[in-house]
Amino acid sequence: MATVVPETPSFGEWFLGLFSHGTLIVSSVYFHIQVWIEILLGRVPRSDLREEAFSRFWTFFTTRPAPDPTSPPPPPTGSATLAPSLFAQASGVVLDLGPGNGAQMPLLAKAAPAIREVYAAEPCVRLHTQLAAKAREHGLGEKYNILPCSASPESLIQTLAKEGLLTGNADQGIFDTIICCRVLCSVPDLEETVRGLYRLLRPGGKLLVCEHVQSPWSKAKGGSFLSRTMQHVYMFLGWKYLIGDCELLRETDKVLLEIAEEEEEEEEDVTGWKTPDLKLHFAWSTLPYVSGVLVKKD
Ligand SMILES: C[S@@+](CC[C@H](N)C(=O)[O-])C[C@H]1O[C@@H](n2cnc3c(N)ncnc32)[C@H](O)[C@@H]1O
């Protein structure tokens, strides 16, 4: 399991944090209603409801204008403080999982000199135009290849094969870096996906992790009974349906560490993580994050 980073939020920060993620539910409901109206008017096919509503919600969430565009942007807070040092470590051939509309592109672009090629697996096709534009805007256009697939092994492997990436020594892994930033919460089968990603990583390759997880119940583990309760309340209120299949109660850190150990037992030459070093941040909140770099043994 991840090591808890000790933090003591102020009472106000903790209390407001219990309810602040409810605004995401409210805005997603708003976009679902908006798309439903367009379905009834015949402008959007019924089958596109969830993807259309999610892409509008995510675009709104990630591109809200700064309150005062003339003043410098406020310093990052919450999970935004974790991503920069992770993305800075991307190098070689990179798999960027679920990059959305490219909100993290400025961070990835900073590592551009060390990056050879990026393959971005984004199943929400409606976000692809924005994603490609962001890649061009930040000078990654030539290196940035968008794949319309999920992180699930059957979808990802088929698409990588079509791209011609699974030739030669592909069974030794093909990526030097895999980025998992706020995406493993949404994949349908976490264990299978992590197993697939582990195999796609080259020996010595890095898995960059920034993922929200379930809150520990107990204060002794840095968690909070009420924050965990609110995670259950949000799930009950339809969080998973409304926020693009996102689950709040996953133990992603545990799965990331356990799958590598299983692989270690099965394979003779490829073995576990060299540095199983994940940290749990904001354990007291309704959205605790594990972050860190897992390096595959070579
Ligand atoms: C919360 S957004 C995060 C976007 C981006 N990684 C970031 O941090 O700004 C989750 C993204 O994962 C994508 N996603 C959902 N299910 C996925 C899956 N099974 N495989 C790959 N990506 C997925 C969504 O379409 C969405 O773009």
Side-chain angles (χ1 to χ4, degrees), residues 54 58 98-100 103-104 121-124 127 150-151 181-183 186-188:
F54 175 76
W58 190 250
Q104 313 295 344
E122 176 48 67
C124 185
L127 293 175
S150 148
C181 182
R182 302 190 287 187
V183 65
S186 303
V187 299

Side-chain angles (χ1 to χ4, degrees), residues 56-276:
R56 290 184 194 192
F57 158 75
W58 190 250
T59 303
F60 167 77
F61 178 65
T62 51
T63 54
R64 275 174 291 179
D68 177 5
T70 54
S71 54
T77 55
S79 64
T81 58
L82 306 174
S85 63
L86 293 175
F87 278 77
Q89 299 187 54
S91 63
V93 182
V94 177
L95 175 63
D96 192 2
L97 285 183
N101 56 350
Q104 313 295 344
M105 201 69 78
L107 301 180
L108 190 60
K110 288 193 178 148
I115 292 175
R116 186 137 64 89
E117 207 74 36
V118 183
Y119 293 90
E122 176 48 67
C124 185
V125 174
R126 279 172 176 69
L127 293 175
H128 285 191
T129 309
Q130 289 180 61
L131 184 57
K134 275 265 177 193
R136 281 195 301 275
E137 182 192 334
H138 291 277
L140 280 169
E142 293 289 300
K143 295 179 181 177
Y144 204 86
N145 308 280
I146 302 175
L147 310 175
C149 68
S150 148
S152 302
E154 72 274 20
S155 166
L156 187 56
I157 296 289
Q158 214 177 58
T159 310
L160 294 175
K162 266 196 218 151
E163 290 290 312
L165 287 168
L166 299 181
T167 51
N169 286 344
D171 54 341
Q172 296 287 310
I174 53 174
F175 294 109
D176 301 294
T177 307
I178 299 182
I179 301 173
C180 297
C181 182
R182 302 190 287 187
V183 65
L184 294 177
C185 53
S186 303
V187 299
D189 184 334
L190 181 59
E191 279 85 0
E192 267 309 293
T193 301
V194 170
R195 193 171 289 115
L197 296 179
Y198 182 85
R199 290 177 182 169
L200 284 170
L201 207 53
R202 286 198 179 117
K206 296 164 278 193
L207 190 73
L208 310 183
V209 181
C210 182
E211 293 286 344
H212 64 79
V213 292
Q214 74 173 23
S215 164
W217 282 111
S218 78
K219 210 170 175 181
K221 290 183 183 160
S224 145
F225 179 81
L226 273 178
S227 295
R228 175 68 171 271
T229 305
M230 285 307 289
Q231 289 190 314
H232 286 273
V233 171
Y234 286 138
M235 288 300 285
F236 177 76
L237 291 176
W239 179 278
K240 182 173 174 173
Y241 178 85
L242 292 165
I243 318 285
D245 292 328
C246 172
E247 294 201 33
L248 292 172
L249 296 163
R250 289 198 165 167
E251 292 184 283
T252 307
D253 46 340
K254 197 168 159 218
V255 173
L256 285 166
L257 300 177
E258 280 178 2
I259 293 293
E261 273 171 32
E262 272 175 31
E263 293 284 308
E264 187 166 9
E265 279 160 25
E266 277 177 29
E267 303 276 333
E268 280 172 13
D269 51 343
V270 179
T271 52
W273 300 119
K274 203 188 285 180
T275 52

